[in-house]
């Protein structure tokens, strides 16, 4: 069994990105919008901001009151869309219940949509066109590629069908010529699917959902779940102790998919910066 070390890979990608950023005159800049004071969202947003700063990018944090209205948020996005000094825009989800997320995500300019959550980028990812793909699935794909794990013809079973992870990961894996099965809360006999997986990716948020009897001998397991236990520890969806001896590769939690998500956001922000520099003609 070999560990898929997302922490180490993310650090090496960060190092390369920092070199690229240091060669830029104007720095890539990401606007991060947080509405309300959900503690988990605050933690994620701070991690993203610090990661930007580690590689020399600018992170502008908009920490908005939970009473912010839909219209106010739309106005802020519009002004960021028109701000040439902002290359990427991210609205942390979930939004408070009085704000509808779809019109907000649709309002972000596709060229600045570094989370890849707007319908424009969702569609382009599905069609295998150049696009911003969401950070977590991108990070998983990079992690598999770094360990030379091939997807073509492999049966990838994804547990969890969210717009943020499961659905876009299925699209990326299908684009890589895998056979993809997506399971979700209504799937009957989950184990009958997970046992078929050459590559099993789990993004549910339920500790120990995946037990040893649910995994094929020699499978690759990517654990994308994140749950904070009452003792403060972070754990994934896979019973690591029991499952890991059966795997050819397995990603740990923490230190697997999580760090890859953050570094993929940085890569998307750098890509947005380059696209916008190109549009402005400074590549000429
Ligand atoms: N909420 C949970 N994951 C994410 C993410 O990757 N991006 C944003 N914007 N919100 C999230």
């Amino acid at each position: 069994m070999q560990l898929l070390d997302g922490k180490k890979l993310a650090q090496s990608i960060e190092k390369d990105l920092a070199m690229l950023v240091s060669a830029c005159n104007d720095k890539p800049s990401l606007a991060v919008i947080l509405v309300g004071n959900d503690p988990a969202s605050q933690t994620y947003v701070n991690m993203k901001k610090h990661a930007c700063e580690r590689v020399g990018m600018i992170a502008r944090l908009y920490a908005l009151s939970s009473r912010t209205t839909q219209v106010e948020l739309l106005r802020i996005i519009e002004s960021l869309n028109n701000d040439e000094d902002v290359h990427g825009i991210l609205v942390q989800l979930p939004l408070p219940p009085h704000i509808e997320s779809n019109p907000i995500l649709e309002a972000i300019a596709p060229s600045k949509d570094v989370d890849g959550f707007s319908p424009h980028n969702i569609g382009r990812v599905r069609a295998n066109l150049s696009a911003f793909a969401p950070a977590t699935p991108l990070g998983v794909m990079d992690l598999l590629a770094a360990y030379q794990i091939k997807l073509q013809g492999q049966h990838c079973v994804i547990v969890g069908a969210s717009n943020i992870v499961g659905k876009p990961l299925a699209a990326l894996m299908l684009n890589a010529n895998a056979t993809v099965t997506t399971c979700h809360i209504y799937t009957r006999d989950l184990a009958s699917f997970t046992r078929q997986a050459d590559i099993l990716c789990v993004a549910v948020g339920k500790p120990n959902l995946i037990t040893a009897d649910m995994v094929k001998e020699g499978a690759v397991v990517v654990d994308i779940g994140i749950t904070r236990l009452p003792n403060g520890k972070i754990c994934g969806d896979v019973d690591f102790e029991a499952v890991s001896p059966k795997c050819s590769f397995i990603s740990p939690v923490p230190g697997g998919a999580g760090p890859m998500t953050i570094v993929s956001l940085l890569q998307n922000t750098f890509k947005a910066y380059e696209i916008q520099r190109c549009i402005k003609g400074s590549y000429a």
Side-chain angles (χ1 to χ4, degrees):
M1 180 277 292
Q2 205 184 334
L3 268 192
L4 296 169
D5 190 340
K7 189 173 171 194
K8 194 165 111 195
L9 178 59
Q11 279 169 351
S12 109
I13 298 172
E14 271 196 18
K15 217 168 123 202
D16 294 347
L17 262 178
M19 289 245 291
L20 288 170
V21 173
S22 70
C24 304
N25 295 326
D26 52 336
K27 298 299 174 206
S29 143
L30 173 66
V32 179
I33 303 174
L34 172 66
V35 187
N37 35 31
D38 174 61
S41 291
Q42 281 171 335
T43 304
Y44 291 137
V45 157
N46 282 326
M47 284 166 72
K48 292 171 186 182
K49 184 170 182 285
H50 289 137
C52 282
E53 289 161 358
R54 279 201 301 277
V55 298
M57 294 182 183
I58 296 165
R60 271 203 224 166
L61 177 58
Y62 294 77
L64 308 177
S65 137
S66 57
R67 291 187 306 277
T68 305
T69 66
Q70 181 112 14
V71 169
E72 283 166 344
L73 186 52
L74 285 170
R75 288 216 181 99
I76 290 168
I77 290 169
E78 199 193 334
S79 84
L80 293 171
N81 282 342
N82 295 322
D83 186 339
E84 283 196 0
D85 296 330
V86 170
H87 305 103
I89 303 170
L90 177 160
V91 178
Q92 186 65 27
L93 300 178
L95 287 164
H98 68 278
I99 299 182
E100 255 190 283
S101 58
N102 283 335
I104 299 297
L105 299 175
E106 276 188 72
I108 299 171
S111 60
K112 297 190 179 188
D113 173 30
V114 289
D115 251 337
F117 291 168
S118 71
H120 178 96
N121 280 306
I122 294 170
R124 290 187 64 93
V125 167
R126 280 300 285 261
N128 204 5
L129 300 170
S130 64
F132 289 110
T136 301
L138 264 188
V140 171
M141 296 298 280
D142 284 348
L143 189 57
L144 295 172
Y147 286 85
Q148 274 106 39
I149 295 166
K150 298 273 174 292
L151 281 98
Q152 182 155 302
Q154 297 294 92
H155 189 185
C156 297
V157 176
I158 298 167
V159 185
S162 69
N163 289 340
I164 291 177
V165 183
K167 285 185 206 166
L169 182 58
L172 294 180
M173 290 183 146
L174 191 54
N175 290 344
N177 299 326
T179 301
V180 181
T181 300
T182 306
C183 302
H184 45 74
I185 186 114
Y186 298 108
T187 298
R188 280 181 270 130
D189 194 4
L190 178 62
S192 71
F193 293 97
T194 58
R195 275 199 282 267
Q196 292 178 43
D198 300 309
I199 300 174
L200 175 62
C201 300
V202 195
V204 174
K206 217 169 150 189
N208 295 326
L209 174 70
I210 303 298
T211 48
D213 57 305
M214 297 169 78
V215 178
K216 182 167 81 175
E217 198 69 47
V220 175
V221 174
V222 184
D223 191 347
I224 314 168
I226 301 181
T227 303
R228 190 176 286 274
L229 298 174
N231 65 9
K233 283 206 174 129
I234 300 288
C235 84
D237 292 341
V238 177
D239 179 353
F240 187 89
E241 291 299 311
V243 170
S244 55
K246 291 185 89 173
C247 300
S248 54
F249 294 89
I250 184 166
S251 71
V253 177
M260 292 305 298
T261 293
I262 302 274
V263 83
S264 297
L265 172 67
L266 300 181
Q267 287 180 299
N268 273 354
T269 304
F270 192 76
K271 177 165 139 179
Y273 164 81
E274 287 195 303
I275 289 170
Q276 282 152 63
R277 254 198 340 186
C278 210
I279 291 169
K280 270 177 34 187
S282 40
Y283 270 150

